[in-house]
């Protein structure tokens, strides 16, 4: 079971890596295996993500309030439907459909085969290279307010759904999609974080019922890890948005590839169990 020390380490990992394109779920799985800890499982990972998602809710509180209030009022006030906050509300809903459908369809695989370290190592490398290609070829000129559309929202949504496989990275997948569509880096990241809210909240709340039951960790260390992930995550999201406004993703790509190679090598040589 997860102890207090493990909870602190995994909470820190979640907060530090959730918003970076390096996959927080992969880090939790890899670090747990490397230190010989029990795999905390998909339920623990989903629940502590509520901490980092709370950081997003607070960080984007003004934008979220405007989106929710304008979208709600637009349901009976047609003149508001062309306003960007109202449209953004629909874009988030549409973009959430792929991960909702695929998450339910592949629930068993998410909790079992998708957590295989060989698969995680491979996805870290492959999607790191895809991110590198997108970052190098993107014209980074489009903005959300002027160019986001329902087709683009669906593309973002399918990219987010790939993050059901640890190693892909929720932010990495959606930011990569945004870059391939030629959105500015910070614009792609902002929509990525907003799009994640319904998926992360619903997943985390559903998995709450698994905590303390069967193989899932107990409540106390889970709550501690969630609180830590919130505190660290709030600082991480602010830093990341500022960083990518003036930097490419090259450093994250190199890190992903090195980590992926290490994971595959560690499993191959028997240092850790897949």
């Amino acid at each position: 079971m997860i102890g207090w020390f493990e909870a602190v380490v995994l909470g820190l990992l979640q907060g530090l890596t959730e918003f970076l394109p390096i996959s927080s779920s992969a880090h939790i799985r890899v670090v747990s295996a490397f230190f010989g800890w029990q795999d905390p499982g998909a339920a623990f990972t989903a629940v502590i993500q509520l901490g980092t998602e709370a950081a997003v809710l607070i960080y984007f509180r003004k934008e979220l309030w405007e989106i929710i209030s304008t979208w709600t009022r637009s349901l009976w006030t047609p003149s508001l439907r062309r306003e960007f906050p109202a449209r953004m509300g629909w874009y988030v809903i549409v973009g959430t459909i792929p991960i909702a459908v695929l998450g339910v369809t592949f629930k068993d695989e998410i909790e079992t085969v998708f957590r295989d370290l060989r698969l995680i190592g491979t996805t870290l490398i492959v999607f790191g290279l895809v991110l590198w290609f997108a970052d190098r070829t993107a014209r980074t000129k489009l903005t959300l307010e002027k160019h986001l559309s329902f087709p683009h929202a669906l593309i973002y949504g399918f990219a987010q759904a790939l993050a059901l496989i640890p190693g892909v990275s929720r932010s990495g997948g959606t930011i990569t999609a945004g870059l391939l569509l030629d959105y500015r880096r910070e614009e792609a990241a902002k929509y990525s974080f907003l799009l994640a809210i319904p998926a992360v909240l619903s997943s985390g709340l559903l998995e709450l019922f698994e905590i303390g039951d069967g193989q899932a960790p107990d409540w106390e260390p889970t709550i501690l890890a969630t609180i830590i992930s919130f505190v660290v995550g709030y600082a991480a999201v602010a830093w990341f948005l500022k960083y990518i406004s003036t930097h490419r993703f090259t450093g994250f790509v190199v890190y992903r590839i090195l980590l992926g190679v290490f994971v595959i090598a560690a499993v191959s040589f028997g240092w850790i169990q897949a």
Side-chain angles (χ1 to χ4, degrees):
M1 301 301 289
I2 299 297
W4 295 109
F5 178 71
E6 290 94 328
V8 171
V9 173
L10 297 180
L12 285 170
L13 274 176
Q14 172 63 28
L16 287 170
T17 60
E18 171 66 18
F19 305 112
L20 310 184
I22 55 177
S23 181
S24 60
S25 55
H27 279 74
I28 290 173
R29 177 73 177 93
V30 170
V31 169
S32 296
F34 184 79
F35 285 107
W37 301 340
Q38 174 186 327
D39 179 5
F44 176 84
T45 303
V47 171
I48 68 172
Q49 285 178 344
L50 292 175
T52 43
E53 210 54 39
V56 170
L57 293 175
I58 294 176
Y59 187 85
F60 289 109
R61 59 190 180 279
K62 293 181 180 179
E63 291 91 335
L64 286 170
W65 173 250
E66 188 175 9
I67 290 169
I68 294 171
S69 62
T70 307
W71 178 83
T72 303
R73 288 183 290 120
S74 74
L75 296 177
W76 60 79
T77 308
S79 61
L80 292 175
R81 294 172 188 171
R82 295 196 176 197
E83 296 292 324
F84 177 65
R87 290 186 287 117
M88 176 60 87
W90 286 114
Y91 295 147
V92 170
I93 292 172
V94 169
T96 303
I97 294 174
I99 198 170
V101 173
L102 295 175
V104 172
T105 303
F106 295 101
K107 185 177 187 300
D108 291 338
E109 289 79 2
I110 292 168
E111 297 176 349
T112 54
V113 295
F114 285 2
R115 299 186 69 79
D116 187 287
L117 287 173
R118 290 161 295 195
L119 176 61
I120 291 174
T122 302
T123 54
L124 280 167
I125 296 170
V126 171
F127 285 93
L129 293 172
V130 176
L131 174 59
W132 174 83
F133 174 80
D135 195 27
R136 289 293 170 177
T137 58
R139 290 177 289 179
T140 61
K141 64 177 183 178
L142 303 188
T143 64
L144 296 175
E145 184 166 357
K146 291 183 178 180
H147 302 98
L148 190 59
S149 61
F150 286 115
H152 283 188
L154 274 176
I155 293 173
Y156 269 105
F158 279 107
Q160 177 180 235
L162 291 173
L164 293 170
I165 305 173
V168 174
S169 170
R170 187 189 309 274
S171 65
T174 48
I175 289 172
T176 297
L179 292 175
L180 291 173
L181 292 170
D182 287 330
Y183 282 88
R184 296 175 182 172
R185 293 182 184 86
E186 58 271 30
E187 294 281 290
K190 181 177 180 180
Y191 181 59
S192 170
F193 298 157
L194 295 175
L195 181 61
I197 292 173
V200 173
L201 291 181
S202 59
S203 175
L205 292 174
L206 286 173
E207 294 291 356
L208 279 174
F209 297 101
E210 303 292 331
I211 299 300
D213 183 34
Q215 297 299 314
D218 291 330
W219 274 103
E220 292 84 353
T222 303
I223 292 173
L224 175 61
T226 304
I227 294 172
I228 293 173
S229 73
F230 162 72
V231 175
V232 178
Y234 188 84
V237 68
W239 174 84
F240 181 63
L241 288 171
K242 182 177 180 180
Y243 176 85
I244 62 173
S245 65
T246 56
H247 294 79
R248 290 183 180 272
F249 292 97
T250 307
F252 300 114
V253 170
V254 172
Y255 176 79
R256 286 181 63 106
I257 293 173
L258 291 176
L259 180 60
V261 170
F262 167 78
V263 170
I264 294 173
V267 172
S268 300
F269 287 108
W271 301 336
I272 55 178
Q273 297 295 317

